[in-house]
Coordinates of all heavy atoms in Angstrom, one line a residue:
M27 N 42.0 -8.0 -62.9 CA 41.1 -8.7 -62.0 C 39.7 -8.8 -62.7 O 39.0 -9.8 -62.6 CB 41.0 -8.0 -60.7 CG 40.3 -8.8 -59.6 SD 40.2 -7.8 -58.1 CE 40.9 -8.9 -57.0
T28 N 39.4 -7.7 -63.5 CA 38.1 -7.7 -64.2 C 38.1 -8.8 -65.2 O 37.1 -9.5 -65.5 CB 37.8 -6.4 -64.8 OG1 37.9 -5.4 -63.8 CG2 36.5 -6.3 -65.6
F29 N 39.2 -9.0 -65.9 CA 39.3 -10.0 -67.0 C 39.1 -11.4 -66.3 O 38.5 -12.3 -66.9 CB 40.7 -9.9 -67.7 CG 40.8 -11.0 -68.7 CD1 40.2 -10.9 -69.9 CD2 41.7 -12.1 -68.5 CE1 40.3 -11.8 -70.9 CE2 41.8 -13.0 -69.5 CZ 41.1 -12.9 -70.7
S30 N 39.7 -11.6 -65.2 CA 39.6 -12.9 -64.5 C 38.1 -13.2 -64.1 O 37.6 -14.3 -64.3 CB 40.4 -13.0 -63.2 OG 41.7 -12.8 -63.5
A31 N 37.4 -12.2 -63.6 CA 36.0 -12.3 -63.3 C 35.2 -12.6 -64.5 O 34.3 -13.4 -64.5 CB 35.5 -11.1 -62.5
L32 N 35.5 -11.9 -65.6 CA 34.7 -12.1 -66.8 C 35.0 -13.5 -67.4 O 34.1 -14.2 -67.9 CB 35.1 -11.0 -67.8 CG 34.4 -11.0 -69.1 CD1 32.9 -10.7 -68.9 CD2 35.0 -9.9 -70.0
A33 N 36.3 -13.9 -67.4 CA 36.6 -15.2 -67.9 C 35.9 -16.3 -67.0 O 35.4 -17.3 -67.6 CB 38.1 -15.4 -67.9
L34 N 35.9 -16.2 -65.7 CA 35.3 -17.2 -64.9 C 33.8 -17.2 -65.1 O 33.1 -18.3 -65.1 CB 35.6 -16.9 -63.4 CG 37.0 -17.3 -62.9 CD1 37.2 -16.8 -61.5 CD2 37.1 -18.8 -63.0
T35 N 33.2 -16.1 -65.4 CA 31.7 -16.0 -65.7 C 31.4 -16.7 -67.0 O 30.5 -17.5 -67.1 CB 31.2 -14.6 -65.7 OG1 31.6 -13.9 -64.5 CG2 29.7 -14.5 -66.0
L36 N 32.3 -16.5 -68.0 CA 32.1 -17.1 -69.3 C 32.3 -18.6 -69.2 O 31.5 -19.4 -69.8 CB 33.1 -16.5 -70.3 CG 33.2 -17.1 -71.7 CD1 31.9 -16.9 -72.4 CD2 34.3 -16.6 -72.5
I37 N 33.3 -19.1 -68.5 CA 33.5 -20.5 -68.3 C 32.4 -21.2 -67.6 O 31.9 -22.2 -68.0 CB 34.9 -20.7 -67.6 CG1 36.0 -20.4 -68.5 CG2 35.0 -22.2 -67.1 CD1 37.4 -20.3 -67.8
G38 N 31.9 -20.5 -66.5 CA 30.8 -21.1 -65.8 C 29.5 -21.2 -66.6 O 28.9 -22.3 -66.6
A39 N 29.2 -20.2 -67.4 CA 28.0 -20.2 -68.2 C 28.2 -21.3 -69.3 O 27.3 -22.0 -69.7 CB 27.8 -18.9 -68.9
L40 N 29.4 -21.4 -69.9 CA 29.6 -22.3 -71.0 C 29.5 -23.8 -70.4 O 29.0 -24.6 -71.1 CB 31.0 -22.1 -71.6 CG 31.4 -22.9 -72.8 CD1 30.4 -22.7 -73.9 CD2 32.8 -22.6 -73.2
L41 N 30.0 -24.0 -69.2 CA 29.9 -25.3 -68.7 C 28.4 -25.7 -68.4 O 28.0 -26.9 -68.7 CB 30.7 -25.4 -67.4 CG 32.2 -25.5 -67.6 CD1 32.9 -25.4 -66.2 CD2 32.6 -26.7 -68.3
F42 N 27.6 -24.8 -67.9 CA 26.2 -25.1 -67.8 C 25.5 -25.3 -69.1 O 24.7 -26.2 -69.2 CB 25.5 -23.9 -67.0 CG 25.5 -24.1 -65.5 CD1 26.5 -23.4 -64.8 CD2 24.7 -25.0 -64.9 CE1 26.5 -23.5 -63.4 CE2 24.7 -25.1 -63.5 CZ 25.6 -24.4 -62.8
Y43 N 25.9 -24.6 -70.1 CA 25.3 -24.8 -71.4 C 25.7 -26.2 -72.0 O 24.8 -26.9 -72.5 CB 25.7 -23.7 -72.4 CG 25.2 -23.9 -73.8 CD1 23.8 -23.7 -74.1 CD2 26.0 -24.4 -74.8 CE1 23.3 -23.9 -75.3 CE2 25.5 -24.6 -76.1 CZ 24.1 -24.4 -76.3 OH 23.6 -24.6 -77.6
L44 N 27.0 -26.5 -71.9 CA 27.4 -27.8 -72.4 C 26.9 -29.0 -71.7 O 26.9 -30.1 -72.2 CB 28.9 -27.8 -72.5 CG 29.6 -26.9 -73.5 CD1 31.1 -26.9 -73.4 CD2 29.1 -27.2 -74.9
A45 N 26.4 -28.8 -70.4 CA 25.8 -29.9 -69.7 C 24.4 -30.1 -70.0 O 23.8 -31.1 -69.6 CB 26.0 -29.6 -68.2
S46 N 23.8 -29.1 -70.7 CA 22.4 -29.2 -71.1 C 22.1 -30.3 -72.2 O 22.9 -30.3 -73.1 CB 21.9 -27.9 -71.6 OG 20.6 -28.0 -72.1
P47 N 21.1 -31.1 -72.0 CA 20.9 -32.1 -73.1 C 20.5 -31.5 -74.4 O 20.6 -32.2 -75.4 CB 19.7 -33.0 -72.5 CG 19.2 -32.2 -71.3 CD 20.2 -31.2 -70.9
R48 N 20.0 -30.3 -74.4 CA 19.6 -29.6 -75.7 C 20.7 -28.7 -76.3 O 20.4 -27.9 -77.2 CB 18.3 -28.8 -75.4 CG 17.2 -29.6 -74.8 CD 16.4 -30.3 -75.7 NE 15.5 -29.5 -76.5 CZ 14.9 -29.8 -77.5 NH1 15.0 -31.0 -78.0 NH2 14.1 -29.0 -78.2
Q49 N 21.9 -28.8 -75.8 CA 23.0 -28.0 -76.3 C 23.3 -28.4 -77.7 O 23.0 -29.5 -78.1 CB 24.2 -28.0 -75.4 CG 24.8 -29.4 -75.2 CD 25.8 -29.8 -76.3 OE1 26.4 -29.0 -77.0 NE2 25.9 -31.1 -76.5
A50 N 23.8 -27.5 -78.5 CA 24.0 -27.7 -80.0 C 25.4 -27.6 -80.4 O 25.7 -27.5 -81.6 CB 23.1 -26.8 -80.8
W51 N 26.4 -27.6 -79.5 CA 27.8 -27.4 -79.9 C 28.5 -28.7 -80.0 O 29.5 -28.8 -80.7 CB 28.5 -26.6 -78.8 CG 28.2 -25.1 -79.0 CD1 27.2 -24.5 -79.7 CD2 28.9 -24.0 -78.3 NE1 27.2 -23.2 -79.5 CE2 28.3 -22.8 -78.7 CE3 30.0 -24.0 -77.4 CZ2 28.7 -21.6 -78.2 CZ3 30.4 -22.7 -77.0 CH2 29.7 -21.6 -77.4
R52 N 28.0 -29.8 -79.3 CA 28.7 -31.1 -79.3 C 27.6 -32.1 -79.7 O 26.5 -31.9 -79.7 CB 29.2 -31.4 -78.0 CG 30.3 -30.4 -77.5 CD 30.7 -30.7 -76.0 NE 30.8 -32.1 -75.7 CZ 31.9 -32.9 -75.8 NH1 33.0 -32.3 -76.2 NH2 31.9 -34.1 -75.4
A53 N 28.1 -33.3 -80.1 CA 27.2 -34.4 -80.5 C 26.4 -34.8 -79.3 O 25.2 -35.2 -79.4 CB 28.0 -35.5 -81.1
A54 N 27.0 -34.8 -78.1 CA 26.4 -35.2 -76.9 C 26.8 -34.3 -75.8 O 27.9 -33.7 -75.8 CB 26.8 -36.7 -76.5
A55 N 25.9 -34.1 -74.8 CA 26.2 -33.2 -73.7 C 27.3 -33.8 -72.8 O 27.5 -35.0 -72.8 CB 24.9 -33.0 -72.8
L56 N 28.0 -32.9 -72.1 CA 29.0 -33.4 -71.1 C 28.3 -34.0 -69.9 O 27.1 -33.8 -69.7 CB 29.8 -32.2 -70.7 CG 30.7 -31.6 -71.8 CD1 31.4 -30.3 -71.2 CD2 31.7 -32.6 -72.3
P57 N 29.0 -34.8 -69.2 CA 28.4 -35.4 -68.0 C 27.8 -34.3 -67.0 O 28.5 -33.4 -66.6 CB 29.5 -36.2 -67.3 CG 30.5 -36.4 -68.4 CD 30.4 -35.3 -69.3
A58 N 26.6 -34.4 -66.7 CA 25.9 -33.3 -66.1 C 26.4 -33.0 -64.7 O 26.6 -31.9 -64.3 CB 24.4 -33.6 -66.0
A59 N 26.6 -34.0 -63.9 CA 26.9 -33.8 -62.5 C 28.3 -33.1 -62.3 O 28.4 -32.1 -61.7 CB 26.9 -35.1 -61.7
R60 N 29.3 -33.6 -63.0 CA 30.6 -33.0 -62.9 C 30.7 -31.6 -63.6 O 31.3 -30.7 -63.0 CB 31.6 -33.9 -63.6 CG 32.0 -35.1 -62.8 CD 33.0 -35.9 -63.6 NE 33.3 -37.2 -62.9 CZ 34.1 -38.1 -63.4 NH1 34.6 -37.9 -64.6 NH2 34.3 -39.2 -62.7
T61 N 30.0 -31.5 -64.7 CA 30.1 -30.3 -65.4 C 29.4 -29.2 -64.7 O 29.9 -28.0 -64.6 CB 29.5 -30.4 -66.8 OG1 30.2 -31.5 -67.5 CG2 29.7 -29.2 -67.7
R62 N 28.2 -29.5 -64.1 CA 27.5 -28.5 -63.4 C 28.2 -28.1 -62.1 O 28.2 -26.9 -61.7 CB 26.1 -28.9 -63.1 CG 25.2 -28.9 -64.3 CD 23.8 -29.4 -64.0 NE 23.1 -29.4 -65.3 CZ 22.1 -30.3 -65.5 NH1 21.7 -31.1 -64.5 NH2 21.5 -30.3 -66.6
A63 N 28.9 -29.1 -61.5 CA 29.7 -28.8 -60.3 C 30.8 -27.8 -60.6 O 31.1 -26.8 -59.9 CB 30.2 -30.0 -59.6
A64 N 31.5 -28.1 -61.7 CA 32.6 -27.2 -62.1 C 32.1 -25.8 -62.5 O 32.7 -24.8 -62.2 CB 33.3 -27.8 -63.3
G65 N 30.9 -25.8 -63.2 CA 30.3 -24.5 -63.5 C 29.9 -23.7 -62.3 O 30.1 -22.5 -62.2
T66 N 29.4 -24.4 -61.3 CA 29.0 -23.7 -60.1 C 30.2 -23.1 -59.3 O 30.2 -22.0 -58.9 CB 28.2 -24.7 -59.1 OG1 27.1 -25.2 -59.8 CG2 27.8 -24.0 -57.8
A67 N 31.3 -23.9 -59.3 CA 32.5 -23.4 -58.7 C 33.1 -22.2 -59.4 O 33.5 -21.3 -58.8 CB 33.5 -24.6 -58.6
S68 N 33.0 -22.3 -60.7 CA 33.5 -21.1 -61.5 C 32.6 -19.9 -61.3 O 33.2 -18.8 -61.1 CB 33.5 -21.5 -63.0 OG 33.9 -20.4 -63.8
L69 N 31.3 -20.1 -61.2 CA 30.5 -18.9 -61.0 C 30.6 -18.4 -59.5 O 30.5 -17.1 -59.3 CB 29.0 -19.3 -61.3 CG 28.7 -19.5 -62.8 CD1 27.3 -20.0 -62.9 CD2 29.0 -18.3 -63.6
I70 N 30.8 -19.2 -58.6 CA 31.0 -18.7 -57.2 C 32.3 -17.9 -57.1 O 32.4 -16.9 -56.5 CB 31.1 -19.9 -56.2 CG1 29.6 -20.5 -56.1 CG2 31.6 -19.5 -54.8 CD1 29.5 -21.7 -55.3
A71 N 33.4 -18.4 -57.8 CA 34.7 -17.7 -57.8 C 34.5 -16.3 -58.5 O 35.0 -15.3 -58.1 CB 35.7 -18.5 -58.5
A72 N 33.7 -16.4 -59.6 CA 33.4 -15.1 -60.4 C 32.7 -14.1 -59.5 O 33.0 -12.9 -59.5 CB 32.7 -15.4 -61.6
L73 N 31.7 -14.6 -58.8 CA 30.9 -13.8 -57.9 C 31.8 -13.1 -56.8 O 31.7 -11.9 -56.5 CB 29.8 -14.6 -57.2 CG 28.9 -13.8 -56.2 CD1 28.2 -12.7 -56.9 CD2 27.9 -14.7 -55.6
I74 N 32.7 -13.9 -56.2 CA 33.6 -13.4 -55.2 C 34.5 -12.3 -55.8 O 34.7 -11.2 -55.2 CB 34.4 -14.5 -54.6 CG1 33.5 -15.4 -53.8 CG2 35.6 -13.9 -53.8 CD1 34.2 -16.7 -53.3
L75 N 35.0 -12.5 -57.0 CA 35.8 -11.5 -57.7 C 35.0 -10.2 -58.0 O 35.4 -9.1 -57.8 CB 36.4 -12.0 -59.0 CG 37.6 -12.9 -58.8 CD1 38.1 -13.5 -60.1 CD2 38.8 -12.1 -58.1
W76 N 33.8 -10.4 -58.6 CA 32.9 -9.2 -58.9 C 32.6 -8.4 -57.6 O 32.7 -7.2 -57.6 CB 31.6 -9.7 -59.6 CG 31.8 -10.1 -61.0 CD1 31.4 -11.3 -61.5 CD2 32.3 -9.3 -62.1 NE1 31.7 -11.3 -62.9 CE2 32.2 -10.1 -63.3 CE3 32.8 -8.0 -62.2 CZ2 32.6 -9.7 -64.5 CZ3 33.2 -7.6 -63.5 CH2 33.1 -8.4 -64.6
Q77 N 32.3 -9.1 -56.6 CA 32.0 -8.4 -55.3 C 33.2 -7.8 -54.7 O 33.0 -6.8 -54.0 CB 31.3 -9.4 -54.3 CG 29.9 -9.8 -54.8 CD 29.2 -10.7 -53.8 OE1 29.9 -11.4 -53.1 NE2 27.9 -10.8 -53.9
S78 N 34.4 -8.3 -54.9 CA 35.6 -7.7 -54.4 C 35.9 -6.4 -55.1 O 36.6 -5.5 -54.5 CB 36.7 -8.6 -54.4 OG 37.2 -8.8 -55.7
M79 N 35.5 -6.3 -56.3 CA 35.8 -5.1 -57.1 C 34.7 -4.0 -57.0 O 34.9 -2.8 -57.2 CB 35.9 -5.4 -58.6 CG 37.1 -6.2 -58.9 SD 37.3 -6.6 -60.7 CE 36.0 -7.7 -61.0
T80 N 33.5 -4.4 -56.6 CA 32.4 -3.5 -56.4 C 31.7 -3.8 -55.1 O 32.2 -4.5 -54.3 CB 31.3 -3.7 -57.6 OG1 30.8 -5.0 -57.5 CG2 32.0 -3.4 -59.0
T81 N 30.5 -3.2 -54.9 CA 29.7 -3.6 -53.7 C 29.1 -5.0 -53.9 O 29.0 -5.4 -55.1 CB 28.6 -2.6 -53.5 OG1 27.7 -2.6 -54.6 CG2 29.2 -1.1 -53.3
P82 N 28.7 -5.7 -52.9 CA 28.2 -7.0 -53.0 C 27.0 -7.1 -53.9 O 26.8 -8.0 -54.8 CB 27.8 -7.4 -51.6 CG 28.8 -6.7 -50.8 CD 29.0 -5.3 -51.5
V83 N 26.0 -6.1 -53.8 CA 24.8 -6.2 -54.6 C 25.2 -5.9 -56.1 O 24.7 -6.6 -57.0 CB 23.8 -5.2 -54.1 CG1 22.6 -5.1 -55.0 CG2 23.3 -5.6 -52.7
T84 N 26.1 -4.9 -56.3 CA 26.4 -4.6 -57.7 C 27.2 -5.8 -58.3 O 26.9 -6.2 -59.5 CB 27.4 -3.4 -57.7 OG1 26.7 -2.3 -57.1 CG2 27.7 -3.0 -59.1
G85 N 28.0 -6.5 -57.6 CA 28.7 -7.7 -58.1 C 27.7 -8.8 -58.5 O 27.9 -9.4 -59.5
L86 N 26.7 -9.0 -57.7 CA 25.7 -10.0 -58.0 C 24.9 -9.6 -59.3 O 24.7 -10.5 -60.1 CB 24.7 -10.1 -56.8 CG 23.6 -11.1 -57.0 CD1 24.1 -12.5 -57.1 CD2 22.5 -11.0 -55.9
F87 N 24.6 -8.4 -59.4 CA 23.8 -8.0 -60.6 C 24.7 -8.0 -61.9 O 24.2 -8.3 -62.9 CB 23.2 -6.6 -60.4 CG 21.9 -6.6 -59.7 CD1 21.9 -6.2 -58.3 CD2 20.8 -7.1 -60.2 CE1 20.7 -6.3 -57.6 CE2 19.6 -7.2 -59.5 CZ 19.6 -6.7 -58.2
I88 N 26.0 -7.7 -61.7 CA 26.9 -7.9 -62.9 C 27.0 -9.3 -63.3 O 26.8 -9.6 -64.5 CB 28.3 -7.4 -62.5 CG1 28.3 -5.8 -62.4 CG2 29.3 -7.8 -63.6 CD1 29.6 -5.3 -61.8
L89 N 27.1 -10.2 -62.3 CA 27.2 -11.7 -62.7 C 25.9 -12.1 -63.3 O 25.9 -12.8 -64.3 CB 27.5 -12.5 -61.4 CG 27.5 -14.0 -61.6 CD1 28.8 -14.4 -62.4 CD2 27.5 -14.7 -60.3
M90 N 24.7 -11.8 -62.7 CA 23.5 -12.2 -63.3 C 23.2 -11.6 -64.7 O 22.7 -12.3 -65.6 CB 22.3 -11.8 -62.3 CG 22.3 -12.5 -61.1 SD 22.1 -14.3 -61.4 CE 22.9 -15.0 -60.0
T91 N 23.6 -10.4 -64.9 CA 23.4 -9.8 -66.2 C 24.3 -10.5 -67.3 O 23.8 -10.8 -68.4 CB 23.7 -8.3 -66.2 OG1 22.9 -7.7 -65.2 CG2 23.5 -7.6 -67.5
L92 N 25.5 -10.8 -66.9 CA 26.4 -11.5 -67.8 C 25.9 -12.9 -68.1 O 25.9 -13.3 -69.3 CB 27.8 -11.5 -67.3 CG 28.6 -10.3 -67.4 CD1 29.9 -10.4 -66.6 CD2 28.9 -9.9 -68.9
L93 N 25.4 -13.6 -67.1 CA 24.8 -14.9 -67.3 C 23.6 -14.9 -68.2 O 23.5 -15.7 -69.1 CB 24.4 -15.5 -66.0 CG 25.5 -16.2 -65.2 CD1 25.0 -16.6 -63.8 CD2 26.2 -17.3 -65.9
M94 N 22.8 -13.9 -68.0 CA 21.6 -13.8 -68.9 C 22.0 -13.6 -70.4 O 21.5 -14.2 -71.2 CB 20.7 -12.6 -68.4 CG 19.5 -12.3 -69.2 SD 18.5 -10.9 -68.6 CE 19.7 -9.6 -68.7
V95 N 22.9 -12.7 -70.6 CA 23.4 -12.4 -72.0 C 24.1 -13.7 -72.6 O 23.8 -14.0 -73.7 CB 24.3 -11.2 -72.0 CG1 25.0 -11.1 -73.3 CG2 23.6 -9.9 -71.6
L96 N 25.0 -14.3 -71.8 CA 25.7 -15.4 -72.3 C 24.8 -16.6 -72.6 O 24.9 -17.2 -73.7 CB 26.8 -15.8 -71.4 CG 28.0 -14.8 -71.3 CD1 28.9 -15.2 -70.1 CD2 28.8 -14.8 -72.6
L97 N 23.9 -17.0 -71.7 CA 23.1 -18.1 -71.9 C 22.0 -17.9 -73.0 O 21.5 -18.9 -73.5 CB 22.4 -18.5 -70.5 CG 23.4 -19.1 -69.5 CD1 22.6 -19.3 -68.2 CD2 24.0 -20.3 -70.0
A98 N 21.7 -16.6 -73.3 CA 20.8 -16.4 -74.4 C 21.6 -16.4 -75.7 O 21.0 -16.7 -76.7 CB 20.2 -15.0 -74.2
A99 N 22.9 -16.1 -75.7 CA 23.7 -16.0 -76.9 C 24.2 -17.3 -77.4 O 24.4 -17.5 -78.6 CB 24.9 -15.0 -76.7
F100 N 24.5 -18.3 -76.5 CA 25.1 -19.5 -76.9 C 24.3 -20.3 -77.9 O 24.8 -20.8 -78.9 CB 25.3 -20.4 -75.7 CG 26.5 -19.9 -74.8 CD1 26.5 -20.2 -73.5 CD2 27.5 -19.2 -75.3 CE1 27.5 -19.8 -72.6 CE2 28.6 -18.8 -74.5 CZ 28.6 -19.1 -73.2
P101 N 22.9 -20.4 -77.8 CA 22.2 -21.1 -78.9 C 22.3 -20.4 -80.2 O 22.4 -21.1 -81.3 CB 20.8 -21.1 -78.4 CG 20.9 -21.0 -76.9 CD 22.1 -20.1 -76.7
Y102 N 22.3 -19.1 -80.2 CA 22.4 -18.4 -81.5 C 23.8 -18.5 -82.1 O 24.0 -18.6 -83.3 CB 22.1 -16.9 -81.3 CG 20.6 -16.7 -81.0 CD1 20.2 -16.4 -79.7 CD2 19.7 -16.9 -82.0 CE1 18.9 -16.2 -79.4 CE2 18.3 -16.7 -81.7 CZ 17.9 -16.4 -80.4 OH 16.6 -16.2 -80.2
L103 N 24.8 -18.6 -81.3 CA 26.2 -18.8 -81.8 C 26.3 -20.2 -82.4 O 27.0 -20.4 -83.4 CB 27.2 -18.7 -80.7 CG 27.4 -17.2 -80.1 CD1 28.3 -17.2 -78.9 CD2 27.9 -16.3 -81.2
A104 N 25.7 -21.2 -81.8 CA 25.6 -22.6 -82.3 C 24.9 -22.6 -83.6 O 25.4 -23.3 -84.6 CB 25.0 -23.5 -81.3
L105 N 23.8 -21.9 -83.8 CA 23.1 -21.8 -85.0 C 23.9 -21.2 -86.1 O 24.0 -21.7 -87.2 CB 21.8 -21.0 -84.8 CG 20.9 -20.8 -86.1 CD1 20.4 -22.2 -86.6 CD2 19.8 -19.9 -85.8
A106 N 24.6 -20.1 -85.8 CA 25.5 -19.4 -86.8 C 26.6 -20.3 -87.2 O 27.0 -20.3 -88.4 CB 26.0 -18.1 -86.2
R107 N 27.2 -21.1 -86.3 CA 28.3 -22.0 -86.6 C 27.8 -23.1 -87.5 O 28.5 -23.4 -88.5 CB 28.8 -22.6 -85.3 CG 29.9 -23.5 -85.4 CD 30.4 -24.0 -84.1 NE 31.2 -25.2 -84.2 CZ 31.3 -26.1 -83.3 NH1 30.8 -25.9 -82.1 NH2 32.1 -27.1 -83.5
S108 N 26.6 -23.6 -87.3 CA 26.1 -24.7 -88.1 C 25.8 -24.2 -89.5 O 26.0 -24.9 -90.5 CB 24.9 -25.4 -87.5 OG 23.8 -24.5 -87.4
R109 N 25.2 -23.0 -89.6 CA 24.9 -22.4 -90.9 C 26.2 -22.1 -91.7 O 26.2 -22.3 -92.9 CB 24.1 -21.2 -90.8 CG 22.7 -21.5 -90.4 CD 21.8 -20.3 -90.5 NE 20.4 -20.7 -90.2 CZ 19.4 -19.8 -90.1 NH1 19.7 -18.5 -90.3 NH2 18.2 -20.3 -89.8
A110 N 27.2 -21.7 -91.0 CA 28.5 -21.4 -91.7 C 29.2 -22.7 -92.2 O 29.8 -22.7 -93.2 CB 29.5 -20.6 -90.7
A111 N 29.0 -23.7 -91.4 CA 29.6 -25.0 -91.8 C 28.8 -25.6 -93.0 O 29.4 -26.3 -93.8 CB 29.6 -26.0 -90.7
A112 N 27.5 -25.3 -93.1 CA 26.7 -25.9 -94.1 C 26.9 -25.2 -95.5 O 26.6 -25.7 -96.5 CB 25.2 -25.8 -93.8
G113 N 27.4 -24.0 -95.4 CA 27.7 -23.3 -96.7 C 27.2 -22.0 -96.7 O 27.1 -21.1 -97.3

């Protein structure tokens, strides 16, 4: 169950990042409305799973902490990927 919550959190954060016009993983951002809706649904499902495993407040803080780390890491991962491709 923890793996499912973690995977849903990762997918939700990734969808929000890929919908951003300043994302650096693709040539163009994904369609914003659909991608953000899917990201929101994924994060709501993740929140429900986190809260079912812990207390509601703890589940919320777990989700927010993971989102903070993931959304800060995605631009750096894109930079590392582009530098590795450049040589």
